[in-house]
Amino acid sequence: MELSSLAFWILATMIIISGLGVVFLKNIVHSALALIATFIGAAGIYLTLHSEFLAAIQVLIYAGAIAILIVFGIMLITKGEGKMGETNLFGKYKISAGIVVLIMVSLVSYLVLQTPWQITTELNESLMSDIAKLIFYDHVVAFELAGVLLTVAMIGAIMIARGVKKNG
Amino acid sequence: MGSIGLYHYLILSTLLFGIGLYGALVKRHAISVLLCIELMLNSVNINLVAFSRFLIHGDNVGQLFAIFIIVVAAAEIAIGLAICIALYRGKQTIELEKFNLLRW
């Protein structure tokens, strides 16, 4: 077996196992750590797809910024009271949600395997400069809008989390 | 187990999406639901990058869309955590089943 397919199988196993860990671990801090493992596995998957830039972005933003944000949110609002092992429990709809998800996954897998994709055999080159040209030349309006969206989201998050003054 | 093709990546992302969807449906803790939404967004990213690598007219647009999805995910997690903090301030709990304000 060649090295790249071995890397794919190892990373896929890691992603699926840590994804299951996010859902089935009972301590929410452990769930967040499993989520970081999933992010890093996804970065490895991007590397096997020759998208080095996205792998770097994934590690920086997801495994760095978003994970820190989530852990701080957990710290602020989780009432452990000495029982952190029971902070991430299941709700009432275990069985029915399982049925729905099983149907969804099997349907999508069936459609994926049925569709005749037009697969290319040669490597699609993806240089850093090509992505830069796409962002700053072809889709520059969307790029600016993304910047506006981030600013608005940051201001909105601060406004919501700060709360309203009683007599303001 | 031959060489790895588009199908492998698509099935992987379908499985990850299913796991995330299950968690988002059954979890009781609000932040846990946010974590599962992040899982689903990640699976979509894997999907898009695989398309941009394997399809004939893939170019690099798939990677571009993945970058935009990462931007939206960052905004979404910030707003979601802010809403969680506001909810917690109001009711001193974050169990989703306690919030039935809009149910009739």
Side-chain angles (χ1 to χ4, degrees):
Chain A
M1 200 192 315
E2 52 185 310
L3 205 61
S4 63
S5 46
L6 185 69
F8 172 82
W9 287 113
I10 292 175
L11 286 168
T13 322
M14 173 182 163
I15 287 181
I16 295 295
I17 288 177
S18 50
L20 285 174
V22 172
V23 177
F24 288 102
L25 284 178
K26 287 214 173 78
N27 187 336
I28 191 161
V29 182
H30 295 172
S31 290
L33 296 182
L35 187 75
I36 297 175
T38 315
F39 288 158
I40 292 179
I45 285 286
Y46 297 155
L47 280 182
T48 66
L49 285 165
H50 300 279
S51 328
E52 291 85 5
F53 178 62
L54 259 178
I57 288 290
Q58 173 90 6
V59 172
L60 269 178
I61 297 184
Y62 268 118
I66 290 185
I68 294 294
L69 206 60
I70 287 173
V71 172
F72 264 92
I74 291 171
M75 179 197 82
L76 283 177
I77 66 178
T78 300
K79 269 197 288 194
E81 292 168 350
K83 292 184 295 180
M84 280 304 281
E86 294 170 16
T87 43
N88 194 15
L89 299 177
F90 284 102
K92 283 182 288 192
Y93 306 111
K94 262 185 184 174
I95 309 289
S96 46
I99 293 170
V100 168
V101 169
L102 266 185
I103 291 174
M104 202 267 325
V105 167
S106 46
L107 199 64
V108 174
S109 309
Y110 173 73
L111 288 176
V112 161
L113 295 178
Q114 283 291 308
T115 312
W117 304 103
Q118 296 183 314
I119 296 173
T120 177
T121 46
E122 82 269 24
L123 186 66
N124 278 342
E125 284 295 329
S126 82
L127 296 172
M128 204 31 235
S129 55
D130 294 337
I131 303 175
K133 204 178 283 177
L134 270 179
I135 292 181
F136 294 113
Y137 191 77
D138 294 335
H139 298 86
V140 67
V141 179
F143 172 72
E144 299 287 343
L145 277 179
V148 173
L149 174 73
L150 272 181
T151 314
V152 169
M154 191 179 71
I155 297 173
I158 294 173
M159 288 303 291
I160 294 173
R162 201 188 55 169
V164 202
K165 278 185 189 163
K166 283 287 186 287
N167 48 2
Chain B
M1 277 208 254
S3 64
I4 301 298
L6 179 61
Y7 294 108
H8 296 81
Y9 288 98
L10 293 186
I11 296 295
L12 169 68
S13 97
T14 308
L15 286 177
L16 192 60
F17 191 90
I19 293 171
L21 181 63
Y22 183 71
L25 286 177
V26 299
K27 283 306 204 178
R28 260 179 20 196
H29 200 287
I31 290 185
S32 179
V33 174
L34 279 180
L35 300 188
C36 295
I37 291 174
E38 291 300 314
L39 275 187
M40 287 154 75
L41 286 169
N42 250 291
S43 76
V44 173
N45 273 347
I46 291 174
N47 211 342
L48 287 173
V49 178
F51 277 140
S52 96
R53 160 75 176 77
F54 283 108
L55 289 193
I56 286 181
H57 297 295
D59 301 333
N60 288 318
V61 185
Q63 295 192 36
L64 185 75
F65 269 83
I67 292 172
F68 283 131
I69 287 182
I70 290 177
V71 171
V72 174
E76 174 254 332
I77 200 79
I79 295 288
L81 280 174
I83 291 176
C84 286
I85 290 175
L87 282 178
Y88 181 78
R89 184 179 294 131
K91 265 195 163 174
Q92 299 300 311
T93 182
I94 203 65
E95 305 267 312
L96 284 179
E97 287 166 3
K98 303 260 172 60
F99 291 100
N100 48 9
L101 218 61
L102 294 179
R103 189 186 289 169
W104 56 278

Short mmCIF file of all heavy atoms in Angstrom, two decimals, chain A residues 55-106:
data_model
loop_
_atom_site.label_atom_id
_atom_site.label_comp_id
_atom_site.label_asym_id
_atom_site.label_seq_id
_atom_site.Cartn_x
_atom_site.Cartn_y
_atom_site.Cartn_z
N ALA A 55 -4.80 23.67 5.09
CA ALA A 55 -4.38 22.96 6.29
C ALA A 55 -3.84 23.93 7.33
O ALA A 55 -4.18 23.84 8.52
CB ALA A 55 -3.32 21.91 5.93
N ALA A 56 -3.04 24.89 6.87
CA ALA A 56 -2.49 25.87 7.81
C ALA A 56 -3.61 26.72 8.41
O ALA A 56 -3.64 26.95 9.63
CB ALA A 56 -1.48 26.76 7.09
N ILE A 57 -4.56 27.15 7.55
CA ILE A 57 -5.69 27.95 8.03
C ILE A 57 -6.51 27.16 9.05
O ILE A 57 -6.94 27.68 10.08
CB ILE A 57 -6.58 28.36 6.83
CG1 ILE A 57 -5.86 29.41 6.02
CG2 ILE A 57 -7.89 28.89 7.30
CD1 ILE A 57 -5.76 30.71 6.71
N GLN A 58 -6.70 25.86 8.76
CA GLN A 58 -7.49 25.01 9.66
C GLN A 58 -6.85 24.95 11.03
O GLN A 58 -7.52 25.12 12.06
CB GLN A 58 -7.57 23.61 9.04
CG GLN A 58 -8.19 22.57 9.91
CD GLN A 58 -9.67 22.47 9.72
OE1 GLN A 58 -10.21 23.11 8.84
NE2 GLN A 58 -10.32 21.68 10.53
N VAL A 59 -5.53 24.72 11.06
CA VAL A 59 -4.87 24.62 12.37
C VAL A 59 -4.92 25.97 13.08
O VAL A 59 -5.19 26.03 14.30
CB VAL A 59 -3.42 24.13 12.19
CG1 VAL A 59 -2.68 24.22 13.51
CG2 VAL A 59 -3.41 22.72 11.70
N LEU A 60 -4.69 27.07 12.32
CA LEU A 60 -4.66 28.38 12.97
C LEU A 60 -6.02 28.75 13.53
O LEU A 60 -6.15 29.10 14.70
CB LEU A 60 -4.23 29.44 11.96
CG LEU A 60 -2.76 29.75 11.85
CD1 LEU A 60 -2.55 30.78 10.78
CD2 LEU A 60 -2.28 30.29 13.16
N ILE A 61 -7.05 28.70 12.67
CA ILE A 61 -8.35 29.25 13.06
C ILE A 61 -9.14 28.26 13.89
O ILE A 61 -9.60 28.57 15.00
CB ILE A 61 -9.14 29.69 11.82
CG1 ILE A 61 -8.37 30.81 11.12
CG2 ILE A 61 -10.52 30.17 12.22
CD1 ILE A 61 -9.09 31.37 9.96
N TYR A 62 -9.31 27.02 13.37
CA TYR A 62 -10.15 26.07 14.10
C TYR A 62 -9.46 25.59 15.37
O TYR A 62 -9.94 25.79 16.48
CB TYR A 62 -10.48 24.87 13.21
CG TYR A 62 -11.76 25.04 12.45
CD1 TYR A 62 -11.78 25.05 11.07
CD2 TYR A 62 -12.96 25.17 13.11
CE1 TYR A 62 -12.95 25.20 10.37
CE2 TYR A 62 -14.13 25.31 12.42
CZ TYR A 62 -14.11 25.32 11.06
OH TYR A 62 -15.28 25.47 10.36
N ALA A 63 -8.29 24.93 15.18
CA ALA A 63 -7.65 24.32 16.35
C ALA A 63 -7.06 25.37 17.27
O ALA A 63 -6.79 25.10 18.43
CB ALA A 63 -6.57 23.34 15.89
N GLY A 64 -6.85 26.60 16.76
CA GLY A 64 -6.36 27.64 17.63
C GLY A 64 -7.46 28.48 18.20
O GLY A 64 -7.86 28.32 19.35
N ALA A 65 -8.02 29.36 17.35
CA ALA A 65 -8.92 30.39 17.86
C ALA A 65 -10.25 29.82 18.34
O ALA A 65 -10.68 30.07 19.46
CB ALA A 65 -9.16 31.42 16.76
N ILE A 66 -10.90 29.01 17.49
CA ILE A 66 -12.26 28.56 17.83
C ILE A 66 -12.22 27.63 19.04
O ILE A 66 -13.08 27.69 19.93
CB ILE A 66 -12.91 27.89 16.61
CG1 ILE A 66 -13.20 28.96 15.56
CG2 ILE A 66 -14.17 27.17 16.97
CD1 ILE A 66 -13.94 28.46 14.38
N ALA A 67 -11.18 26.78 19.11
CA ALA A 67 -11.10 25.88 20.27
C ALA A 67 -10.92 26.66 21.56
O ALA A 67 -11.57 26.35 22.58
CB ALA A 67 -9.95 24.89 20.06
N ILE A 68 -10.07 27.70 21.52
CA ILE A 68 -9.87 28.52 22.72
C ILE A 68 -11.19 29.19 23.13
O ILE A 68 -11.58 29.21 24.30
CB ILE A 68 -8.79 29.58 22.45
CG1 ILE A 68 -7.45 28.90 22.24
CG2 ILE A 68 -8.70 30.55 23.61
CD1 ILE A 68 -6.93 28.23 23.43
N LEU A 69 -11.91 29.71 22.10
CA LEU A 69 -13.19 30.38 22.37
C LEU A 69 -14.17 29.41 23.04
O LEU A 69 -14.83 29.75 24.04
CB LEU A 69 -13.75 30.88 21.04
CG LEU A 69 -14.69 32.06 21.06
CD1 LEU A 69 -13.95 33.23 21.66
CD2 LEU A 69 -15.09 32.39 19.65
N ILE A 70 -14.23 28.17 22.52
CA ILE A 70 -15.17 27.20 23.07
C ILE A 70 -14.80 26.83 24.50
O ILE A 70 -15.66 26.75 25.39
CB ILE A 70 -15.21 25.95 22.16
CG1 ILE A 70 -15.94 26.26 20.87
CG2 ILE A 70 -15.87 24.79 22.86
CD1 ILE A 70 -15.87 25.16 19.88
N VAL A 71 -13.49 26.64 24.74
CA VAL A 71 -13.10 26.25 26.10
C VAL A 71 -13.40 27.38 27.08
O VAL A 71 -13.86 27.14 28.21
CB VAL A 71 -11.61 25.86 26.10
CG1 VAL A 71 -11.14 25.64 27.52
CG2 VAL A 71 -11.41 24.59 25.32
N PHE A 72 -13.20 28.64 26.63
CA PHE A 72 -13.54 29.75 27.52
C PHE A 72 -15.05 29.81 27.76
O PHE A 72 -15.49 30.08 28.89
CB PHE A 72 -13.05 31.07 26.92
CG PHE A 72 -11.73 31.49 27.47
CD1 PHE A 72 -10.57 31.12 26.84
CD2 PHE A 72 -11.65 32.22 28.63
CE1 PHE A 72 -9.35 31.47 27.35
CE2 PHE A 72 -10.43 32.58 29.16
CZ PHE A 72 -9.28 32.20 28.50
N GLY A 73 -15.84 29.56 26.72
CA GLY A 73 -17.29 29.54 26.91
C GLY A 73 -17.71 28.48 27.90
O GLY A 73 -18.55 28.71 28.78
N ILE A 74 -17.08 27.27 27.81
CA ILE A 74 -17.40 26.21 28.75
C ILE A 74 -17.04 26.63 30.17
O ILE A 74 -17.81 26.43 31.12
CB ILE A 74 -16.64 24.92 28.36
CG1 ILE A 74 -17.21 24.36 27.08
CG2 ILE A 74 -16.74 23.89 29.46
CD1 ILE A 74 -16.41 23.24 26.52
N MET A 75 -15.88 27.28 30.30
CA MET A 75 -15.45 27.71 31.63
C MET A 75 -16.45 28.71 32.21
O MET A 75 -16.75 28.67 33.40
CB MET A 75 -14.07 28.33 31.54
CG MET A 75 -13.55 28.84 32.85
SD MET A 75 -12.20 29.96 32.61
CE MET A 75 -13.08 31.46 32.26
N LEU A 76 -17.00 29.59 31.36
CA LEU A 76 -17.85 30.64 31.89
C LEU A 76 -19.22 30.15 32.30
O LEU A 76 -19.80 30.66 33.26
CB LEU A 76 -18.00 31.76 30.85
CG LEU A 76 -16.80 32.67 30.73
CD1 LEU A 76 -17.03 33.67 29.65
CD2 LEU A 76 -16.56 33.37 32.03
N ILE A 77 -19.80 29.18 31.57
CA ILE A 77 -21.21 28.92 31.81
C ILE A 77 -21.53 27.50 32.23
O ILE A 77 -22.69 27.16 32.35
CB ILE A 77 -22.08 29.27 30.59
CG1 ILE A 77 -21.75 28.35 29.44
CG2 ILE A 77 -21.92 30.69 30.21
CD1 ILE A 77 -22.60 28.63 28.27
N THR A 78 -20.56 26.63 32.45
CA THR A 78 -20.91 25.28 32.87
C THR A 78 -20.85 25.19 34.39
O THR A 78 -19.86 25.53 35.00
CB THR A 78 -19.95 24.26 32.27
OG1 THR A 78 -20.05 24.36 30.85
CG2 THR A 78 -20.34 22.87 32.68
N LYS A 79 -21.98 24.72 34.96
CA LYS A 79 -22.00 24.51 36.40
C LYS A 79 -21.61 23.07 36.68
O LYS A 79 -22.41 22.16 36.53
CB LYS A 79 -23.40 24.80 36.95
CG LYS A 79 -23.55 26.24 37.37
CD LYS A 79 -24.73 26.42 38.26
CE LYS A 79 -26.03 26.30 37.51
NZ LYS A 79 -27.17 26.78 38.26
N GLY A 80 -20.34 22.85 37.04
CA GLY A 80 -19.90 21.48 37.29
C GLY A 80 -20.38 20.98 38.62
O GLY A 80 -20.93 19.91 38.74
N GLU A 81 -20.18 21.77 39.67
CA GLU A 81 -20.53 21.39 41.03
C GLU A 81 -19.95 20.05 41.40
O GLU A 81 -20.62 19.19 42.00
CB GLU A 81 -22.05 21.39 41.21
CG GLU A 81 -22.65 22.79 41.12
CD GLU A 81 -24.16 22.76 41.00
OE1 GLU A 81 -24.70 21.67 40.80
OE2 GLU A 81 -24.77 23.82 41.11
N GLY A 82 -18.69 19.84 41.03
CA GLY A 82 -18.02 18.60 41.38
C GLY A 82 -18.42 17.39 40.56
O GLY A 82 -17.91 16.31 40.78
N LYS A 83 -19.36 17.58 39.60
CA LYS A 83 -19.78 16.45 38.79
C LYS A 83 -19.56 16.76 37.31
O LYS A 83 -20.49 16.76 36.52
CB LYS A 83 -21.26 16.13 39.03
CG LYS A 83 -21.52 15.59 40.41
CD LYS A 83 -22.96 15.19 40.55
CE LYS A 83 -23.86 16.40 40.45
NZ LYS A 83 -25.28 16.07 40.58
N MET A 84 -18.31 17.08 36.95
CA MET A 84 -18.04 17.41 35.56
C MET A 84 -18.27 16.22 34.64
O MET A 84 -18.47 16.38 33.45
CB MET A 84 -16.59 17.89 35.40
CG MET A 84 -16.37 19.32 35.79
SD MET A 84 -17.43 20.46 34.92
CE MET A 84 -16.57 20.57 33.36
N GLY A 85 -18.26 15.01 35.22
CA GLY A 85 -18.47 13.83 34.39
C GLY A 85 -19.90 13.67 33.90
O GLY A 85 -20.19 12.77 33.13
N GLU A 86 -20.81 14.54 34.34
CA GLU A 86 -22.19 14.42 33.89
C GLU A 86 -22.69 15.72 33.28
O GLU A 86 -23.86 16.05 33.37
CB GLU A 86 -23.09 14.03 35.06
CG GLU A 86 -22.77 12.64 35.58
CD GLU A 86 -23.49 12.37 36.88
OE1 GLU A 86 -24.43 13.11 37.18
OE2 GLU A 86 -23.09 11.43 37.57
N THR A 87 -21.77 16.48 32.66
CA THR A 87 -22.18 17.77 32.13
C THR A 87 -22.66 17.69 30.70
O THR A 87 -23.21 18.64 30.18
CB THR A 87 -21.01 18.76 32.19
OG1 THR A 87 -19.84 18.09 31.76
CG2 THR A 87 -20.83 19.29 33.58
N ASN A 88 -22.45 16.57 30.02
CA ASN A 88 -22.72 16.52 28.59
C ASN A 88 -23.61 15.33 28.27
O ASN A 88 -23.22 14.42 27.56
CB ASN A 88 -21.39 16.43 27.84
CG ASN A 88 -21.55 16.70 26.39
OD1 ASN A 88 -22.56 17.22 25.97
ND2 ASN A 88 -20.55 16.32 25.62
N LEU A 89 -24.80 15.33 28.82
CA LEU A 89 -25.65 14.15 28.72
C LEU A 89 -26.56 14.21 27.50
O LEU A 89 -26.65 15.23 26.83
CB LEU A 89 -26.51 14.03 29.98
CG LEU A 89 -25.69 13.88 31.24
CD1 LEU A 89 -26.60 13.84 32.45
CD2 LEU A 89 -24.86 12.62 31.17
N PHE A 90 -27.24 13.10 27.24
CA PHE A 90 -28.14 13.01 26.10
C PHE A 90 -29.53 13.50 26.48
O PHE A 90 -29.92 13.46 27.64
CB PHE A 90 -28.25 11.58 25.60
CG PHE A 90 -27.06 11.15 24.81
CD1 PHE A 90 -26.09 10.36 25.36
CD2 PHE A 90 -26.91 11.57 23.51
CE1 PHE A 90 -24.99 9.99 24.63
CE2 PHE A 90 -25.83 11.20 22.77
CZ PHE A 90 -24.86 10.40 23.33
N GLY A 91 -30.29 13.91 25.46
CA GLY A 91 -31.65 14.35 25.70
C GLY A 91 -32.63 13.21 25.54
O GLY A 91 -32.30 12.03 25.70
N LYS A 92 -33.87 13.56 25.16
CA LYS A 92 -34.94 12.57 25.14
C LYS A 92 -35.01 11.80 23.82
O LYS A 92 -35.58 10.73 23.77
CB LYS A 92 -36.29 13.28 25.36
CG LYS A 92 -36.53 13.66 26.78
CD LYS A 92 -37.89 14.30 26.94
CE LYS A 92 -37.91 15.69 26.35
NZ LYS A 92 -39.11 16.45 26.73
N TYR A 93 -34.46 12.37 22.75
CA TYR A 93 -34.78 11.85 21.42
C TYR A 93 -33.68 10.99 20.85
O TYR A 93 -33.36 11.06 19.67
CB TYR A 93 -35.08 13.01 20.48
CG TYR A 93 -36.14 13.92 21.00
CD1 TYR A 93 -35.84 15.20 21.41
CD2 TYR A 93 -37.44 13.46 21.11
CE1 TYR A 93 -36.83 16.02 21.91
CE2 TYR A 93 -38.43 14.27 21.61
CZ TYR A 93 -38.12 15.56 22.01
OH TYR A 93 -39.09 16.36 22.51
N LYS A 94 -33.05 10.13 21.68
CA LYS A 94 -31.94 9.31 21.21
C LYS A 94 -32.32 8.43 20.03
O LYS A 94 -31.69 8.44 18.98
CB LYS A 94 -31.47 8.41 22.35
CG LYS A 94 -30.28 8.90 23.11
CD LYS A 94 -29.96 7.79 24.07
CE LYS A 94 -28.84 8.11 24.99
NZ LYS A 94 -28.69 7.06 25.99
N ILE A 95 -33.41 7.65 20.22
CA ILE A 95 -33.74 6.61 19.25
C ILE A 95 -34.19 7.23 17.93
O ILE A 95 -33.69 6.88 16.85
CB ILE A 95 -34.84 5.69 19.80
CG1 ILE A 95 -34.46 5.20 21.19
CG2 ILE A 95 -35.06 4.52 18.87
CD1 ILE A 95 -33.35 4.23 21.21
N SER A 96 -35.13 8.18 18.01
CA SER A 96 -35.68 8.74 16.77
C SER A 96 -34.61 9.52 16.00
O SER A 96 -34.53 9.43 14.77
CB SER A 96 -36.87 9.64 17.09
OG SER A 96 -36.57 10.49 18.16
N ALA A 97 -33.73 10.25 16.73
CA ALA A 97 -32.66 10.96 16.04
C ALA A 97 -31.70 9.97 15.39
O ALA A 97 -31.23 10.21 14.27
CB ALA A 97 -31.91 11.84 17.04
N GLY A 98 -31.46 8.83 16.05
CA GLY A 98 -30.60 7.81 15.45
C GLY A 98 -31.18 7.28 14.16
O GLY A 98 -30.46 7.11 13.17
N ILE A 99 -32.52 7.05 14.16
CA ILE A 99 -33.15 6.55 12.94
C ILE A 99 -33.02 7.57 11.81
O ILE A 99 -32.64 7.24 10.68
CB ILE A 99 -34.64 6.23 13.22
CG1 ILE A 99 -34.72 5.05 14.19
CG2 ILE A 99 -35.36 5.90 11.95
CD1 ILE A 99 -36.11 4.82 14.71
N VAL A 100 -33.30 8.85 12.14
CA VAL A 100 -33.21 9.91 11.12
C VAL A 100 -31.81 9.98 10.53
O VAL A 100 -31.61 10.03 9.31
CB VAL A 100 -33.62 11.26 11.74
CG1 VAL A 100 -33.26 12.39 10.81
CG2 VAL A 100 -35.09 11.27 12.03
N VAL A 101 -30.79 9.93 11.43
CA VAL A 101 -29.42 10.07 10.96
C VAL A 101 -29.02 8.86 10.13
O VAL A 101 -28.33 9.00 9.10
CB VAL A 101 -28.48 10.27 12.16
CG1 VAL A 101 -27.04 10.16 11.75
CG2 VAL A 101 -28.72 11.63 12.76
N LEU A 102 -29.47 7.66 10.54
CA LEU A 102 -29.14 6.46 9.75
C LEU A 102 -29.72 6.57 8.36
O LEU A 102 -29.05 6.28 7.36
CB LEU A 102 -29.68 5.22 10.45
CG LEU A 102 -28.69 4.51 11.37
CD1 LEU A 102 -29.32 3.23 11.89
CD2 LEU A 102 -27.42 4.21 10.63
N ILE A 103 -30.99 7.00 8.27
CA ILE A 103 -31.62 7.14 6.96
C ILE A 103 -30.86 8.15 6.11
O ILE A 103 -30.53 7.91 4.94
CB ILE A 103 -33.09 7.54 7.12
CG1 ILE A 103 -33.88 6.40 7.71
CG2 ILE A 103 -33.69 7.94 5.79
CD1 ILE A 103 -35.30 6.76 8.05
N MET A 104 -30.50 9.31 6.74
CA MET A 104 -29.81 10.36 6.00
C MET A 104 -28.47 9.86 5.47
O MET A 104 -28.16 10.01 4.29
CB MET A 104 -29.61 11.56 6.92
CG MET A 104 -29.40 12.87 6.26
SD MET A 104 -27.74 13.42 5.94
CE MET A 104 -26.74 12.89 7.23
N VAL A 105 -27.69 9.21 6.35
CA VAL A 105 -26.35 8.78 5.94
C VAL A 105 -26.42 7.73 4.84
O VAL A 105 -25.68 7.79 3.86
CB VAL A 105 -25.58 8.25 7.17
CG1 VAL A 105 -24.33 7.51 6.74
CG2 VAL A 105 -25.20 9.39 8.07
N SER A 106 -27.36 6.77 4.99
CA SER A 106 -27.41 5.72 3.96
C SER A 106 -27.90 6.29 2.63
O SER A 106 -27.39 5.91 1.57
CB SER A 106 -28.30 4.57 4.42
OG SER A 106 -29.50 5.07 4.95
#
